[in-house]
Amino acid sequence: MHDFQPKTIIEPFKIRSVEPVRFSTPEEREQALAAAGHNPFLLRARDVLIDLLTDSGTGAMSAKQWAAMISSDESYAGADSFYRFEAAVQGITGLRHVIPTHQGRAAEHILFGALLSPGDIVVNNTHFDTTRAHVENCRAEARDLVIAEGRQPRSLHPFKGNMDLAALEAVLKSPDDGPRVRAVMMTVTNNSGGGQPVSLENLRAVSALARAHGKPFLLDACRFAENAWFIKTREPGQADRTPREIAQEMFSLCDGSTMSAKKDGLANIGGFLALNDGELAGRCRTRLILTEGFPTYGGLAGYDLEAIAQGLNEVLDEGYLRYRVRSIAYLGERLTAAGVPIVQPPGGHAIYLDAREALPHLSPRQYPAWSLNNALYLAGGVRGVEIGTVMFGLQPDGSERDAAMDLVRLAFPRRVYTQSHVDYLLEVILHVWERRESLRPLRIVEQGPVLRHFTARLEPA
Ligand code: F0G
């Protein structure tokens, strides 16, 4: 009896508070999508059955998080909730100065504003959109140096988020670029590259290179726990360590970190900036007061700080991480077995469907990923997000270019959907896959000058 090794990985929680989902008919979805200008961003969430638009701020909190929120301290300055938050962040990161912010991009805004001057360079495996935008907003350059495998959708490299060490060293040693590098950053996991992890070995090497050249090394730590789990399960010699121990070592290699607690903070809002450099932290706190609030709340309620403090500890639970990564890998395996092209291997928070490959009858300017995403909605009420030519094709001069890839990201909210939701999702994708030749091109009839995907209106062409 003691040798029972279950193959089924069940949700490591019981559900005691539920939120109904609303079923709709195909006709209702047809109408809702037409009214939304064929743009899923403009749908009302109540018209979506399974919402995979993002894993950011959409997770379910635990009974312990809600309990901690009830007993928050809402004092303007020096609240107990801040000290519990600070202790939770320091317990994992070991970083000396902890500055709460209302979400990840606020930490980026404050840090880069204090750190960067025009002409500086920030090197990253791949900058997330908001990170790049904040670097460029300081008239600095955001340079991506992910390994070549990280740009190949079919490469099975276990750590496709790794930095290209030779390229990094060349930049740091270059007489032109080296002096302009103001920071070296790593995004864990690499969201823009498919949620791919970074190995501990690579983090150690990047940290050593940055330090040898006197550059601060920063972590964009949004999905640090998922990254720690991949290190535990994929990296030689790491299997016997806990996710917490691995995360602690990841942070021990860096000088500072930006974090969106809406991801691996298991909270619906919040973030932080954590730094070792006291002088830089002081300048950041001054900027924080201008835009976010006093340094012990940073734009958050005391109860948000409590939710994050508890969430940061829960997210490192092995049972939780095993279930989290397994449910996404399961979907990836079934899709791969059916021949559906996806970014391989499945990442930590999302499956990325490769629409350009799936729909060769549509050119990038006919928006294959947008068409595929809309078809998933019409067939089964599923909402993902296009990461392709609608999102990235519009150039500052108004011209249009093909994006590097046309993907549909299906990002999983944390602890929200169950195995049967995943099985249903699989059925929806396979149903659309079998009818893929009937998917129609789209054209844009209305768009804004920047970030057009949020508000554009489209029409079947
Ligand atoms: N860095 C990464 C790697 C992210 O994925 C995000 C957000 C941010 C920074 C910014 O954090 O949203 O709290 O301001 N990613 C979300 C997504 C929006 O859907 O991938 P934020």
Side-chain angles (χ1 to χ4, degrees):
M1 286 308 212
H2 295 299
D3 59 355
F4 176 56
Q5 295 281 352
K7 283 195 207 61
T8 310
I9 296 187
I10 62 170
E11 287 82 12
F13 46 78
K14 296 186 286 183
I15 299 168
R16 194 154 60 86
S17 171
V18 297
E19 177 188 348
V21 289
R22 207 175 64 87
F23 293 88
S24 53
T25 62
E27 292 72 30
E28 285 169 335
R29 291 194 291 273
E30 191 93 49
Q31 266 182 12
L33 195 60
H38 301 273
N39 183 346
F41 277 106
L42 303 180
L43 287 169
R44 289 188 62 156
R46 68 191 304 276
D47 293 328
V48 178
L49 182 62
I50 300 205
D51 202 348
L52 307 177
L53 187 65
T54 178
D55 65 323
S56 182
T58 50
M61 290 202 292
S62 66
K64 284 196 173 157
Q65 283 177 293
W66 287 111
M69 289 172 77
I70 290 282
S71 44
S72 69
D73 177 355
E74 300 298 339
S75 304
Y76 190 93
D80 276 350
S81 296
F82 170 74
Y83 292 105
R84 280 192 282 273
F85 169 83
E86 183 186 48
V89 174
Q90 286 177 334
I92 297 165
T93 68
L95 293 162
R96 280 196 281 278
H97 302 278
V98 177
I99 300 171
T101 60
H102 81 270
Q103 61 184 79
R105 67 198 69 183
E108 295 166 354
H109 173 70
I110 284 160
L111 173 67
F112 292 138
L115 192 65
L116 299 180
S117 306
D120 284 350
I121 299 174
V122 178
V123 182
N124 205 322
N125 47 356
T126 313
H127 289 81
F128 179 67
D129 320 11
T130 60
T131 323
R132 169 174 291 277
H134 280 296
V135 171
E136 292 175 353
N137 193 40
C138 299
R139 289 186 286 142
E141 181 192 334
R143 200 174 291 184
D144 294 340
L145 294 183
V146 72
I147 55 171
E149 290 89 338
R151 296 198 201 90
Q152 295 157 4
R154 245 48 91 209
S155 158
L156 291 175
H157 191 292
F159 292 103
K160 286 171 80 171
N162 281 357
M163 185 87 88
D164 182 333
L165 295 171
L168 174 63
E169 188 163 19
V171 172
L172 290 169
K173 281 191 172 159
S174 141
D176 293 333
D177 290 344
R180 294 163 57 212
V181 174
R182 191 65 190 89
V184 177
M185 199 163 187
M186 288 286 266
T187 306
V188 295
T189 57
N190 189 21
N191 184 13
S192 307
Q196 302 292 337
V198 177
S199 72
L200 201 48
E201 187 188 23
N202 190 256
L203 282 172
R204 288 182 189 137
V206 172
S207 170
L209 268 174
R211 286 187 176 165
H213 288 83
K215 310 292 184 187
F217 177 45
L218 306 169
L219 278 188
D220 176 343
C222 298
R223 298 177 180 85
F224 75 96
E226 289 163 11
N227 200 95
W229 181 256
F230 282 119
I231 289 176
K232 179 177 169 70
T233 52
R234 290 185 184 169
E235 190 158 344
Q238 298 298 325
D240 294 334
R241 300 175 79 191
T242 64
R244 172 177 282 273
E245 286 165 348
I246 293 169
Q248 285 167 334
E249 181 175 347
M250 289 164 58
F251 283 105
S252 75
L253 298 165
C254 76
D255 305 295
S257 175
T258 55
M259 170 79 186
S260 168
K262 301 173 75 170
K263 284 87 171 173
D264 277 350
L266 294 178
N268 298 126
I269 195 73
F272 61 79
L273 169 63
L275 296 165
N276 273 337
D277 179 341
E279 187 272 327
L280 178 61
R283 283 191 286 130
C284 288
R285 285 198 186 96
T286 305
R287 292 174 52 82
L288 184 86
I289 293 170
L290 278 180
T291 58
E292 297 280 298
F294 190 74
T296 61
Y297 75 87
L300 296 171
Y303 51 72
D304 296 320
L305 296 169
E306 295 282 356
I308 298 166
Q310 176 64 25
L312 285 172
N313 288 315
E314 287 179 13
V315 79
L316 288 166
D317 178 80
E318 289 198 17
Y320 161 73
L321 285 169
R322 180 179 298 113
Y323 136 82
R324 167 88 177 146
V325 169
R326 180 63 204 141
S327 57
I328 291 164
Y330 167 86
L331 177 62
E333 284 162 16
R334 297 300 158 102
L335 291 173
T336 305
V340 181
I342 62 169
V343 175
Q344 298 284 4
H349 67 295
I351 289 286
Y352 294 69
L353 306 173
D354 189 339
R356 196 173 289 175
E357 177 146 335
L359 308 176
H361 63 290
L362 299 185
S363 74
R365 302 300 167 81
Q366 294 176 317
Y367 311 131
W370 201 278
S371 179
L372 179 58
N373 192 32
N374 285 6
L376 296 177
Y377 176 72
L378 292 173
V382 171
R383 170 162 73 172
V385 65
E386 187 244 27
I387 301 191
T389 302
V390 177
M391 188 178 271
F392 295 124
L394 183 63
Q395 304 304 305
D397 66 1
S399 66
E400 193 170 24
R401 251 192 251 158
D402 298 355
M405 290 193 249
D406 281 290
L407 306 174
V408 174
R409 182 183 80 168
L410 304 169
F412 284 68
R414 292 169 180 76
R415 307 191 290 205
V416 169
Y417 295 116
T418 64
Q419 178 71 31
S420 66
H421 289 113
V422 176
D423 281 323
Y424 170 83
L425 171 64
L426 181 63
E427 275 189 58
V428 174
I429 300 170
L430 295 181
H431 178 87
V432 171
W433 169 247
E434 281 153 20
R435 288 159 187 75
R436 61 191 177 280
E437 280 158 24
S438 69
L439 263 58
R440 309 248 314 270
L442 288 147
R443 62 189 186 90
I444 296 178
V445 290
E446 221 182 283
Q447 66 180 22
V450 285
L451 300 175
R452 64 176 174 179
H453 52 288
F454 289 127
T455 54
R457 300 183 77 85
L458 296 92
E459 240 171 40

